[in-house]
Amino acid sequence: MDTPIHPKFTTLAYALILLREAGYPCVFYGDMYGTCEPFLSSPTCDGKLGNLILARKLYAYGEQQDYFQDPDCIGWVRRGISDPPGFQASGMAVVMNWVGDYKKKAHDEQSIFQKPRWVRRLSGLAGKFGVMPKRSPRCQREMNVGVQHAGEVWTDVLDGSSHKVTIGSDGTAVFPCKVNSVAVYISGSAVGREEFSVAFI
């Protein structure tokens, strides 16, 4: 690929491709297993691409609800399904943050590490309609995964966030993630949860 991509953004891009309802599941071989010379490279996503693929296979089903209040910190929920009979997918909660290279100089607008187009577009739409996006001191989204999950403890299958999230009585909880990263929360009691971690390093 000729277009330079920030190494940390690759994981976010694959989360969008693999875990969203409209995503098209296409994975580059070199990102999964690495490539040989003359273009030698290691697997991307810190070796967690296998976990993203497994999360799609087991949990990326059902209705999707987006939480796009802040262009720097977005999230969405997949509600899961229990049909056909004998198949069950408990759903997931995804939250991601991207502020790019926050140490770069302000005038360096041509930096390859600038905010991606979807972040800039959300910011532009917010300004167009007179809505100023909220800036959180850290990335976290309050989202509702459904009352059927009340009392469950959800954790990040990518292990980027060690925070344990307990779902409230109304199905709502606050899901955090680290700066420039993505967290994929799954119920600790979900079918197949013990199959993680799938590492390719």
Side-chain angles (χ1 to χ4, degrees), residues 5-10 12 71-73 96-105 108 111-120 135 178-181:
I5 298 176
H6 195 298
K8 290 185 177 180
F9 186 71
T10 307
L12 280 73
D72 290 341
C73 182
M96 63 172 60
N97 166 267
W98 184 258
V99 293
D101 186 358
Y102 47 85
K103 293 182 180 179
K104 74 181 182 67
K105 295 181 180 179
D108 186 15
S111 170
I112 62 173
F113 298 157
Q114 66 181 335
K115 295 178 182 179
R117 182 181 299 175
W118 63 268
V119 172
R120 300 196 302 273
R135 303 292 177 179
K178 295 180 180 179
V179 173
N180 288 343
S181 69

Coordinates of all heavy atoms in Angstrom, one line a residue, residues 5-10 12 71-73 96-105 108 111-120 135 178-181:
I5 N -0.1 4.9 6.7 CA -1.1 4.9 7.7 C -0.5 4.8 9.0 O 0.5 4.0 9.2 CB -2.1 3.6 7.5 CG1 -2.8 3.8 6.1 CG2 -3.1 3.5 8.6 CD1 -3.6 2.5 5.8
H6 N -1.0 5.5 10.0 CA -0.4 5.5 11.3 C -0.6 4.0 11.8 O -1.7 3.5 11.8 CB -1.2 6.5 12.2 CG -0.5 6.7 13.5 ND1 -0.3 5.7 14.5 CD2 0.0 7.9 14.0 CE1 0.3 6.3 15.5 NE2 0.5 7.5 15.3
P7 N 0.4 3.4 12.4 CA 0.3 2.0 12.8 C -0.8 1.8 13.8 O -1.5 0.8 13.7 CB 1.7 1.8 13.5 CG 2.6 2.7 12.8 CD 1.8 3.9 12.5
K8 N -1.1 2.7 14.7 CA -2.1 2.5 15.7 C -3.5 2.7 15.1 O -4.5 2.1 15.7 CB -2.0 3.6 16.8 CG -0.8 3.3 17.7 CD -0.7 4.3 18.9 CE 0.4 4.0 19.8 NZ 0.5 4.9 21.0
F9 N -3.6 3.4 14.0 CA -5.0 3.6 13.4 C -5.5 2.3 12.7 O -6.6 2.1 12.4 CB -5.0 4.7 12.4 CG -6.3 5.1 11.9 CD1 -7.3 5.6 12.7 CD2 -6.7 4.8 10.6 CE1 -8.6 5.9 12.2 CE2 -7.9 5.1 10.1 CZ -8.9 5.6 10.9
T10 N -4.5 1.4 12.3 CA -4.9 0.2 11.6 C -6.0 -0.6 12.4 O -6.9 -1.1 11.8 CB -3.7 -0.7 11.3 OG1 -2.7 0.1 10.7 CG2 -4.1 -1.9 10.5
L12 N -8.2 0.5 14.5 CA -9.5 1.2 14.4 C -10.1 1.0 13.1 O -11.3 0.7 13.0 CB -9.3 2.7 14.7 CG -9.1 3.2 16.1 CD1 -7.7 2.8 16.7 CD2 -9.3 4.7 16.2
P71 N -16.8 13.6 18.0 CA -16.0 13.1 16.9 C -14.7 12.5 17.2 O -14.1 11.8 16.5 CB -15.8 14.4 16.0 CG -15.9 15.5 16.9 CD -16.9 15.1 18.0
D72 N -14.1 12.8 18.4 CA -12.9 12.2 18.9 C -13.1 10.9 19.6 O -12.1 10.2 19.8 CB -12.1 13.2 19.8 CG -11.6 14.4 19.0 OD1 -11.5 14.3 17.8 OD2 -11.3 15.4 19.7
C73 N -14.3 10.6 20.0 CA -14.6 9.4 20.7 C -16.0 8.9 20.4 O -17.0 9.4 20.8 CB -14.5 9.7 22.2 SG -14.8 8.2 23.3
M96 N -14.1 3.8 20.4 CA -12.8 4.1 19.8 C -12.5 5.6 19.9 O -13.4 6.4 19.9 CB -12.7 3.6 18.4 CG -13.6 4.3 17.4 SD -13.2 3.8 15.7 CE -13.4 2.1 15.7
N97 N -11.2 5.9 20.0 CA -10.7 7.3 20.2 C -9.6 7.5 19.2 O -8.7 6.6 19.0 CB -10.2 7.5 21.6 CG -9.4 8.8 21.7 OD1 -8.2 8.8 21.6 ND2 -10.1 9.9 21.9
W98 N -9.6 8.6 18.5 CA -8.5 9.0 17.6 C -8.3 10.5 17.6 O -9.1 11.2 17.2 CB -8.7 8.5 16.2 CG -7.5 8.8 15.3 CD1 -7.3 9.8 14.4 CD2 -6.3 8.0 15.4 NE1 -6.1 9.7 13.9 CE2 -5.4 8.7 14.4 CE3 -5.8 6.9 16.1 CZ2 -4.1 8.2 14.2 CZ3 -4.5 6.5 15.8 CH2 -3.7 7.1 14.9
V99 N -7.2 10.9 18.2 CA -6.8 12.3 18.1 C -5.5 12.5 17.3 O -5.0 13.6 17.2 CB -6.6 12.9 19.6 CG1 -7.9 12.9 20.3 CG2 -5.6 12.1 20.3
G100 N -5.0 11.4 16.7 CA -3.8 11.5 15.9 C -2.6 11.7 16.7 O -2.5 11.4 17.9
D101 N -1.6 12.3 16.1 CA -0.3 12.6 16.7 C -0.5 13.9 17.5 O -0.2 15.0 16.9 CB 0.8 12.7 15.7 CG 2.2 12.9 16.4 OD1 2.2 13.0 17.6 OD2 3.2 12.9 15.6
Y102 N -1.0 13.9 18.7 CA -1.3 15.1 19.5 C 0.0 15.9 19.8 O -0.1 17.0 20.4 CB -2.1 14.8 20.7 CG -1.5 13.6 21.5 CD1 -0.6 13.8 22.5 CD2 -2.0 12.3 21.3 CE1 -0.1 12.8 23.2 CE2 -1.5 11.3 22.1 CZ -0.6 11.5 23.0 OH -0.1 10.4 23.7
K103 N 1.2 15.4 19.6 CA 2.4 16.1 19.8 C 2.9 16.9 18.6 O 3.8 17.6 18.7 CB 3.5 15.1 20.3 CG 3.2 14.5 21.7 CD 4.3 13.6 22.1 CE 4.0 13.0 23.5 NZ 5.1 12.1 23.9
K104 N 2.2 16.6 17.5 CA 2.7 17.3 16.2 C 2.4 18.8 16.3 O 1.5 19.3 17.0 CB 2.0 16.7 15.0 CG 0.6 17.1 14.8 CD 0.0 16.4 13.6 CE -1.4 16.9 13.3 NZ -1.5 18.3 13.0
K105 N 3.2 19.6 15.5 CA 3.0 21.0 15.5 C 1.6 21.4 14.9 O 1.2 20.7 13.9 CB 4.1 21.7 14.7 CG 5.5 21.5 15.4 CD 6.6 22.2 14.6 CE 7.9 22.0 15.3 NZ 9.0 22.7 14.6
D108 N 1.3 21.9 11.1 CA 1.7 20.8 10.2 C 0.4 20.1 9.7 O 0.1 18.9 10.1 CB 2.6 19.8 10.9 CG 3.1 18.7 10.0 OD1 3.0 18.8 8.8 OD2 3.6 17.7 10.5
S111 N 0.5 16.5 7.8 CA 1.0 15.3 8.5 C 0.1 14.1 8.2 O -1.1 14.2 8.1 CB 1.0 15.6 10.0 OG 1.2 14.3 10.7
I112 N 0.8 13.0 8.0 CA 0.0 11.8 7.7 C -0.7 11.3 8.9 O -1.5 10.3 8.8 CB 1.0 10.7 7.1 CG1 2.0 10.3 8.2 CG2 1.6 11.1 5.8 CD1 2.9 9.1 7.8
F113 N -0.4 11.9 10.1 CA -1.0 11.4 11.3 C -2.2 12.3 11.7 O -2.6 12.3 12.9 CB 0.1 11.4 12.4 CG 1.2 10.5 12.2 CD1 2.4 10.6 12.8 CD2 1.0 9.4 11.3 CE1 3.5 9.8 12.6 CE2 2.1 8.5 11.1 CZ 3.3 8.7 11.7
Q114 N -2.6 13.1 10.8 CA -3.7 14.0 11.2 C -5.0 13.2 11.3 O -5.1 12.0 11.0 CB -4.0 15.1 10.1 CG -4.4 14.5 8.8 CD -4.6 15.6 7.7 OE1 -4.8 16.7 8.1 NE2 -4.4 15.3 6.5
K115 N -6.0 13.8 11.9 CA -7.3 13.1 12.1 C -7.9 12.6 10.8 O -7.8 13.3 9.8 CB -8.3 14.0 12.8 CG -7.9 14.4 14.2 CD -8.9 15.4 14.8 CE -8.5 15.9 16.2 NZ -9.5 16.8 16.8
P116 N -8.4 11.3 10.8 CA -8.9 10.8 9.5 C -10.2 11.5 9.1 O -10.8 12.3 9.8 CB -9.3 9.3 9.9 CG -9.4 9.4 11.4 CD -8.5 10.4 11.9
R117 N -10.6 11.3 7.9 CA -11.6 12.0 7.2 C -12.9 11.9 8.0 O -13.7 12.9 8.1 CB -11.8 11.5 5.8 CG -12.9 12.3 5.0 CD -13.1 11.8 3.7 NE -11.9 11.9 2.9 CZ -11.8 11.4 1.7 NH1 -12.8 10.7 1.1 NH2 -10.6 11.5 1.0
W118 N -13.3 10.7 8.6 CA -14.5 10.6 9.3 C -14.6 11.5 10.5 O -15.7 12.0 10.9 CB -14.8 9.1 9.6 CG -13.9 8.5 10.5 CD1 -12.8 7.8 10.2 CD2 -14.0 8.4 12.0 NE1 -12.2 7.3 11.3 CE2 -12.9 7.7 12.4 CE3 -14.9 9.0 12.9 CZ2 -12.6 7.4 13.8 CZ3 -14.6 8.7 14.2 CH2 -13.5 8.0 14.7
V119 N -13.4 11.7 11.2 CA -13.4 12.6 12.3 C -13.6 14.0 11.9 O -14.4 14.7 12.5 CB -12.1 12.4 13.1 CG1 -11.9 13.5 14.2 CG2 -12.0 11.0 13.7
R120 N -12.9 14.4 10.8 CA -13.0 15.8 10.4 C -14.4 16.1 9.9 O -15.0 17.2 10.0 CB -12.0 16.1 9.3 CG -10.5 15.9 9.7 CD -9.5 16.5 8.8 NE -9.6 16.0 7.5 CZ -9.0 14.9 7.0 NH1 -8.2 14.2 7.9 NH2 -9.1 14.5 5.8
R135 N -16.0 17.7 24.4 CA -14.7 17.2 24.6 C -14.5 16.5 25.9 O -14.7 17.1 27.0 CB -13.7 18.3 24.4 CG -13.8 19.1 23.1 CD -13.4 18.2 21.9 NE -13.6 18.9 20.7 CZ -13.4 18.4 19.5 NH1 -12.9 17.2 19.4 NH2 -13.6 19.1 18.4
K178 N -8.5 3.6 25.7 CA -7.3 4.5 25.8 C -7.2 5.4 24.6 O -8.0 5.2 23.6 CB -6.1 3.6 25.8 CG -5.9 2.7 27.1 CD -4.7 1.9 27.0 CE -4.6 1.0 28.3 NZ -3.3 0.2 28.2
V179 N -6.4 6.4 24.7 CA -6.2 7.4 23.6 C -5.6 6.6 22.4 O -4.8 5.8 22.5 CB -5.2 8.5 24.0 CG1 -4.8 9.4 22.9 CG2 -5.8 9.3 25.2
N180 N -6.2 7.0 21.2 CA -5.7 6.4 19.9 C -5.9 4.9 19.9 O -4.9 4.2 19.5 CB -4.3 6.8 19.6 CG -4.2 8.3 19.2 OD1 -5.2 9.0 18.9 ND2 -3.0 8.8 19.2
S181 N -7.0 4.4 20.4 CA -7.2 3.0 20.4 C -8.7 2.6 20.3 O -9.5 3.5 20.2 CB -6.6 2.4 21.7 OG -7.4 2.8 22.8

